[in-house]
Amino acid sequence: MSAAGDRLRAALRADRAANARYPKSRFVLGWLRRCQRWQGSRRPLGRAIYLAHAAGYKLVTEWIMGIEIPPTTRIEPGLRLRHGIGVVVNPATVIGRNVMLRHGVTLGNRRTPHDCPVIEDDVELGVGAVVIGAITVGRGARIGPYAVVVKDVPTGGVVRSPRSELVTES
């Protein structure tokens, strides 16, 4: 088998293990990896297979499930997707190994289509977190719920959104 095929199988195994109790996540990531398998094909049959896979993937994951993770995104093995509704990932984003995305996470650009974040290995992103721009979120960092991140986060860093406060009392 080819090295690319071996990498795909390893990514599929890691994704399945990382999402063992989440069948919806396993379904989405399995389909994503199969799209990635065929996307680089230059042969007519391979292109046709990719187009069929990608069209079905886009229809089901984006339009029905509300999860936007393009097959062209560079994603290392072990992505954990928790309750993926509302996840939006720009295709120029880079996602490392064993990253966790919870529902409502946005990873994207600020000014140009390609100024997107690099999410290093073992990062966890909380519900509704927004990480935008050409920044790096360091290995093992934790991004809290609803945090908006526009600057680099160091290795092991923790970012949280401002605390909620009572505005009026009845």
Side-chain angles (χ1 to χ4, degrees), residues 31-111:
W31 205 342
L32 170 80
R33 296 299 184 184
R34 285 173 183 84
C35 286
Q36 290 177 333
R37 154 64 177 98
W38 292 104
Q39 95 184 38
S41 180
R42 299 198 194 288
R43 295 182 178 171
L45 179 60
R47 292 299 302 157
I49 292 171
Y50 169 70
L51 291 173
H53 270 71
Y57 172 79
K58 186 172 186 77
L59 174 71
V60 172
T61 61
E62 288 186 26
W63 295 7
I64 296 172
M65 299 176 84
I67 301 170
E68 294 184 36
I69 305 175
T72 54
T73 307
R74 196 172 109 207
I75 303 171
E76 295 296 323
L79 178 64
R80 293 174 289 158
L81 189 59
R82 298 297 183 260
H83 314 291
I85 303 292
V87 169
V88 178
V89 177
N90 183 296
T93 299
V94 176
I95 300 174
R97 292 179 178 274
N98 306 314
V99 169
M100 180 184 292
L101 303 179
R102 291 185 177 84
H103 64 278
V105 167
T106 299
L107 305 175
N109 61 313
R110 282 183 79 181
R111 294 180 182 90

Side-chain angles (χ1 to χ4, degrees), residues 5-22 25-26 29-30 32-34 75-82 96-100 122:
D6 290 342
R7 282 192 304 274
L8 172 70
R9 280 187 290 288
L12 278 166
R13 278 193 303 276
D15 293 346
R16 286 181 62 78
N19 295 282
R21 294 180 296 141
Y22 296 88
S25 300
R26 292 172 81 170
L29 295 172
L32 170 80
R33 296 299 184 184
R34 285 173 183 84
I75 303 171
E76 295 296 323
L79 178 64
R80 293 174 289 158
L81 189 59
R82 298 297 183 260
R97 292 179 178 274
N98 306 314
V99 169
M100 180 184 292
D122 305 311

Side-chain angles (χ1 to χ4, degrees), residues 74-80 93-101 107 116-125 131 135-143 152-157:
R74 196 172 109 207
I75 303 171
E76 295 296 323
L79 178 64
R80 293 174 289 158
T93 299
V94 176
I95 300 174
R97 292 179 178 274
N98 306 314
V99 169
M100 180 184 292
L101 303 179
L107 305 175
C116 292
V118 172
I119 310 298
E120 292 185 348
D121 298 346
D122 305 311
V123 171
E124 289 189 25
L125 292 112
V131 181
I135 64 171
T136 299
V137 177
R139 181 184 183 114
R142 304 292 179 257
I143 309 300
D152 288 340
V153 177
T155 297

